[in-house]
């Protein structure tokens, strides 16, 4: 096995090649979690892995509650399937809380403050109301708790970690929060060892081939916990050693055939952000080019699992304009497929035409 093989298997396991999914919530469950702080790009991350999805259909799935959007790992926003969010939060939230400790101390936020704000927010949403952050924080201020933007952000953040709130349905372009217990049915907790194994199993199935360091990065768990999880599921997967690293992946009869067509991949996509070591997807020269965003922070064009360009979109009334910044030589077949790739994205967001620049 080499890096090209790793890239091919990841494209297949992440459902970018020949997806089996039509249901967005089922796809998210397969992936374990999907990073989603850039909401528009995160919807495209799901859309490019689904058959016949549109931006509207993905958002409808989120609003319907099958997909929960909350701070759960590393920490940043993620999409998580409704049936998974409790046990994953139980597993990862304590580590995320430790990471936030320094900032909490600087902001003079502690458990006593969070108890007051959590109780207040819980009561605000108890009747099923879905409120914007501004509406929630206005009530927090009326209760005598002072907030600036940073303090408000962390009050809401901790309410998510404590399973008080999660996303509600969008109200126009505004995000809302709902009571966690209203959106997420109660379920029996998993023992810590069971949860570690379950999360690792989900990750290596959907993201493999990957290493224990990749899993530690993706999950936000300590390397010690990640190694326990890795060892718990090692026997369920094939192993390979590449450049001194041990990879776990689901056994396959043969390597998937990867076409040479260009793909428009969103910023923060799991195909790049989901690994500590991104060398299978991003060559060093490309990663060091400021235009690439390291292959993570900007939307990129991939060919056979490799980043070859960056792209930027501007939406007009009936068309989307896509500006390309080439980062390495693109094969002729990939160049010729760019319009089709752009058309697929345009169709997803409901535009009739695409203009490549």
């Amino acid at each position: 096995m080499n890096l090209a093989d790793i890239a091919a298997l990841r494209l297949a396991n992440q459902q970018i090649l020949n997806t089996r999914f039509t249901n967005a919530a089922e796809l998210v469950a397969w992936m374990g979690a999907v990073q989603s702080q850039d909401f528009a790009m995160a919807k495209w991350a799901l859309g490019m892995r689904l058959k016949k999805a549109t931006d509207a259909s993905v958002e409808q799935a989120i609003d319907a509650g099958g997909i929960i959007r909350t701070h759960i790992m590393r920490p940043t926003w993620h999409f998580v399937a409704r049936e998974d969010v409790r046990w994953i939060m139980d597993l990862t939230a304590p580590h995320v809380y430790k990471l936030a400790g320094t900032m909490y101390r600087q902001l003079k936020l502690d458990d006593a403050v969070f108890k007051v704000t959590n109780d207040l927010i819980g009561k605000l949403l108890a009747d099923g109301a879905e409120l914007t952050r501004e509406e929630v924080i206005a009530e927090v201020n009326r209760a005598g708790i002072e907030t600036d933007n940073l303090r408000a952000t962390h009050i809401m953040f901790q309410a998510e970690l404590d399973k008080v709130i999660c996303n509600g349905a969008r109200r126009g372009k505004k995000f809302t929060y709902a009571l966690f217990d209203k959106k997420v049915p109660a379920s029996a907790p998993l023992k810590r060892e069971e949860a570690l194994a379950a999360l690792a199993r989900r990750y290596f199935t959907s993201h493999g081939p990957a290493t224990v360091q990749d899993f530690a990065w993706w999950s936000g768990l300590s390397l010690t916990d990640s190694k326990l999880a890795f060892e718990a599921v090692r026997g369920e997967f094939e192993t390979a050693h590449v450049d001194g690293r041990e990879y776990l992946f689901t056994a396959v009869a043969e390597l998937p055939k990867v076409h040479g067509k260009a793909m428009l991949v969103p910023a923060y996509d799991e195909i790049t952000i989901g690994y500590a070591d991104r060398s299978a997807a991003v060559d060093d020269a490309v990663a060091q080019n400021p235009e690439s965003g390291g292959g993570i922070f900007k939307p990129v064009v991939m060919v056979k699992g490799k980043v070859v360009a960056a792209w930027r979109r501007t939406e007009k009334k009936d068309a989307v304009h896509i500006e390309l910044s080439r980062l390495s030589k693109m094969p002729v077949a990939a160049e010729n497929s760019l319009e089709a790739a752009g058309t697929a994205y345009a169709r997803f967001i409901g535009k009739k035409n695409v203009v490549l620049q």
Side-chain angles (χ1 to χ4, degrees):
M1 180 175 286
N2 55 36
L3 290 180
D5 298 333
I6 290 171
L9 284 166
R10 287 177 178 175
L11 288 171
N13 290 331
Q14 287 213 18
Q15 305 302 304
I16 295 173
L17 289 181
N18 302 318
T19 182
R20 72 188 73 175
F21 290 101
T22 57
N23 181 287
E26 290 175 0
L27 169 65
V28 171
W30 168 265
M31 296 292 291
V34 176
Q35 190 159 328
S36 63
Q37 78 267 38
D38 185 328
F39 189 62
M41 286 282 98
K43 287 187 290 180
W44 173 232
L46 300 186
M48 66 181 285
R49 291 170 166 86
L50 292 166
K51 297 176 181 176
K52 298 182 180 180
T54 64
D55 184 276
S57 70
V58 170
E59 183 148 354
Q60 184 178 22
I62 298 165
D63 287 349
I67 299 168
I68 301 299
R69 183 173 180 257
T70 189
H71 284 87
I72 198 166
M73 300 194 309
R74 287 205 294 276
T76 189
W77 292 100
H78 279 82
F79 290 141
V80 187
R82 177 172 52 195
E83 62 269 24
D84 294 324
V85 67
R86 282 189 185 273
W87 67 264
I88 295 178
M89 188 71 84
D90 288 343
L91 179 64
T92 64
H95 188 66
V96 174
Y97 181 80
K98 288 179 183 178
L99 293 175
T102 299
M103 181 59 71
Y104 285 173
R105 287 187 289 274
Q106 291 176 1
L107 296 172
K108 297 182 179 180
L109 294 171
D110 57 22
D111 290 343
V113 175
F114 290 137
K115 184 180 188 311
V116 173
T117 55
N118 283 351
D119 288 348
L120 174 59
I121 293 168
K123 289 174 183 176
L124 284 173
L125 302 175
D127 63 354
E130 296 186 354
L131 302 177
T132 66
R133 191 182 92 152
E134 292 77 15
E135 290 167 338
V136 171
I137 293 301
E139 293 300 322
V140 171
N141 290 336
R142 288 191 188 100
I145 299 171
E146 294 183 7
T147 61
D148 56 17
N149 183 57
L150 197 56
R151 213 162 185 257
T153 294
H154 284 85
I155 286 170
M156 301 300 286
F157 173 72
Q158 187 60 38
E160 290 177 281
L161 293 185
D162 288 331
K163 299 194 291 293
V164 177
I165 58 173
C166 61
N167 68 292
R170 280 217 292 179
R171 190 193 303 162
K173 293 186 177 181
K174 283 187 172 289
F175 293 96
T176 69
Y177 289 88
L179 195 69
F180 186 93
D181 286 341
K182 292 280 188 181
K183 296 270 285 188
V184 182
S187 59
L190 294 182
K191 294 180 180 178
R192 183 169 177 77
E193 295 77 10
E194 294 174 335
L196 282 169
L199 191 61
R201 186 176 298 113
R202 200 74 63 89
Y203 175 75
F204 289 108
T205 299
S206 62
H207 288 66
T211 67
V212 65
Q213 289 82 8
D214 293 327
F215 175 66
W217 155 254
W218 177 82
S219 66
L221 296 169
S222 69
L223 187 56
T224 298
D225 279 343
S226 297
K227 286 179 177 178
L228 289 173
F230 186 88
E231 292 301 328
V233 301
R234 180 203 289 270
E236 302 174 28
F237 294 90
E238 292 292 307
T239 61
H241 289 82
V242 181
D243 297 334
R245 299 184 181 94
E246 183 178 19
Y247 290 80
L248 296 189
F249 60 100
T250 303
V252 292
E254 60 181 2
L255 287 171
K257 295 180 180 178
V258 183
H259 59 67
K261 297 177 182 178
M263 297 182 295
L264 299 186
V265 176
Y268 302 103
D269 192 82
E270 290 291 315
I271 199 64
T272 52
I273 197 71
Y275 307 94
D277 176 15
R278 303 179 181 107
S279 55
V282 190
D283 290 336
D284 286 344
V286 171
Q288 292 166 10
N289 188 323
E291 288 292 324
S292 74
I296 298 171
F297 305 111
K298 295 182 179 181
V300 294
V301 179
M302 298 187 87
V303 176
K304 294 187 175 181
K306 280 282 192 183
V307 174
V308 297
W311 62 283
R312 183 169 58 187
R313 71 199 187 281
T314 303
E315 294 185 27
K316 305 291 186 180
K317 183 177 180 181
D318 292 321
V320 57
H321 292 241
I322 294 177
E323 181 182 347
L324 297 165
S325 299
R326 289 165 178 77
L327 304 168
S328 65
K329 184 174 177 57
M330 199 179 301
V332 173
E335 287 278 1
N336 292 340
S337 67
L338 282 168
E339 186 167 354
T343 298
Y345 177 71
R347 186 182 302 117
F348 175 77
I349 62 172
K351 302 297 181 183
K352 294 179 181 180
N353 300 301
V354 60
V355 179
L356 297 180
Q357 298 173 313

